[in-house]
Amino acid sequence: MTLYLSRKLRFDAVFFEQYKKSFDLDENLNIKILEIGCGPGALAESLHRWYPKAQITAIDRDSNFISFAKENITGIEFREGDATQLPFSDHSFDVTISNTVQEHNGAKRFFKRNNRLCSH
């Protein structure tokens, strides 16, 4: 719960305009977003609020985080999965996002894996 609450603060609505500028996504589009390494789901939850027309999928390899997220957050597909073996076909998403995961997986390989998931 502590990690969830601290991340919930980090992704609070008060910061949306700053994130919106960085993300450069139109909140009116029907897009598919994948969050890799979602932890307890705070960023995915914010993405769902900020981009209400988007389909949000979030994965984490920690089954406890996924269980917590499924029990406490609605409107998002939470799945157990590993960032090094993403269980999705090529071009499945319009956007992938990750917070504090790439530095644990080797940035070049991590972004190459993410790139194959995105439609261009």
Side-chain angles (χ1 to χ4, degrees), residues 29-42:
L29 293 179
N30 296 318
I31 57 176
K32 293 181 180 180
I33 301 174
L34 171 65
E35 183 190 1
I36 301 168
C38 65

Side-chain angles (χ1 to χ4, degrees), residues 108-119:
K108 186 175 181 178
R109 282 193 340 251
F110 181 78
F111 290 114
K112 186 175 182 179
R113 280 188 227 105
N114 289 348
N115 192 44
R116 80 163 178 84
L117 296 176
C118 290
S119 56

Side-chain angles (χ1 to χ4, degrees), residues 1-2 11 13 24 30 50-51 71 75 85 88-89 106-108 119:
M1 181 60 97
T2 301
F11 303 117
D24 193 28
N30 296 318
W50 297 340
Y51 303 100
E71 291 170 13
Q85 298 175 343
F88 305 102
S89 59
K108 186 175 181 178
S119 56

Side-chain angles (χ1 to χ4, degrees), residues 8-20:
K8 193 169 173 79
L9 287 173
R10 183 182 302 165
F11 303 117
D12 189 80
V14 72
F15 302 115
F16 174 56
E17 288 304 317
Q18 293 169 334
Y19 284 116
K20 182 179 176 182

